[in-house]
Amino acid sequence: MKIIVLEGSPHKKGSSNMLAEKFIKGAEEAGHTVEVLDVAHMDMHPCLGCEHCGMNGECVYKDDNSVIRDALLAADMVVFVTPIYYFGMSAQLKMVIDRFYSYTTKLSGRGLKTVLITAAWDAGDDVMPYTAEHYKKLCRYMNFKDCGMVLGTGCGSPSMTAGSSHMEEAYQLGKSL
């Protein structure tokens, strides 16, 4: 299976990317091919809602959206990786998802498998529900097949994350595919 990992953290060595590394290790050990796109550091612009693309055409922006689009349209799975900022995904990842608009028809027709990997400082029960529900709704709308979530609460720093059970959870999820 060809897996595209969309890393949405502005911190290249941050907690969510650490969890993604463990997932990738498990997935590669299981025989899958993994490509990482550091979308937080790509040249992206927010969707204007201008309708130029008609949900199935070229976007008015000439940026890295085309790289992400081409990778996703050739993949079997996409992994969304994000820190939790104010109880939601990072703006960097959200912008990429918003830009799905220009190829919604093509992407939703792929039936991609998906995974969500998150990291949050707070360990409370009320930290992840909104992001998890947003992800689930995205899966339903885009005809994605959810294959699991790593909701890394209590992962506010790399040292906190390294000592958490979420590292093994991410590895095992990747290995189980």
Side-chain angles (χ1 to χ4, degrees), residues 30-45:
H32 303 291
T33 303
V34 180
E35 179 182 352
V36 176
L37 295 178
D38 180 5
V39 299
H41 295 95
M42 294 176 83
D43 177 30
M44 290 291 293
H45 298 88

Side-chain angles (χ1 to χ4, degrees), residues 84-143:
I84 299 299
Y85 291 159
Y86 289 92
F87 313 101
M89 68 180 68
S90 70
Q92 293 86 349
L93 182 60
K94 179 66 167 73
M95 183 167 39
V96 168
I97 292 170
D98 287 349
R99 295 287 298 282
F100 287 177
Y101 190 79
S102 65
Y103 54 103
T104 292
T105 305
K106 292 175 187 169
L107 188 59
S108 65
R110 300 267 307 131
L112 290 178
K113 295 176 182 176
T114 61
V115 164
L116 174 65
I117 298 175
T118 66
W121 188 283
D122 197 326
D125 291 342
D126 64 344
V127 173
M128 294 294 180
Y130 303 106
T131 302
E133 286 304 316
H134 181 198
Y135 164 73
K136 289 176 192 176
K137 177 60 181 177
L138 178 66
C139 288
R140 288 189 301 272
Y141 179 73
M142 294 298 292
N143 194 32

Side-chain angles (χ1 to χ4, degrees), residues 15-16 19 82-84 116-124 127-128 149-157 160-161 164-167 169-170:
S15 294
S16 60
L19 293 170
T82 183
I84 299 299
L116 174 65
I117 298 175
T118 66
W121 188 283
D122 197 326
V127 173
M128 294 294 180
M149 294 183 270
V150 177
L151 304 176
T153 55
C155 293
S157 68
M160 291 168 71
T161 304
S164 78
S165 63
H166 300 297
M167 295 290 278
E169 180 185 359

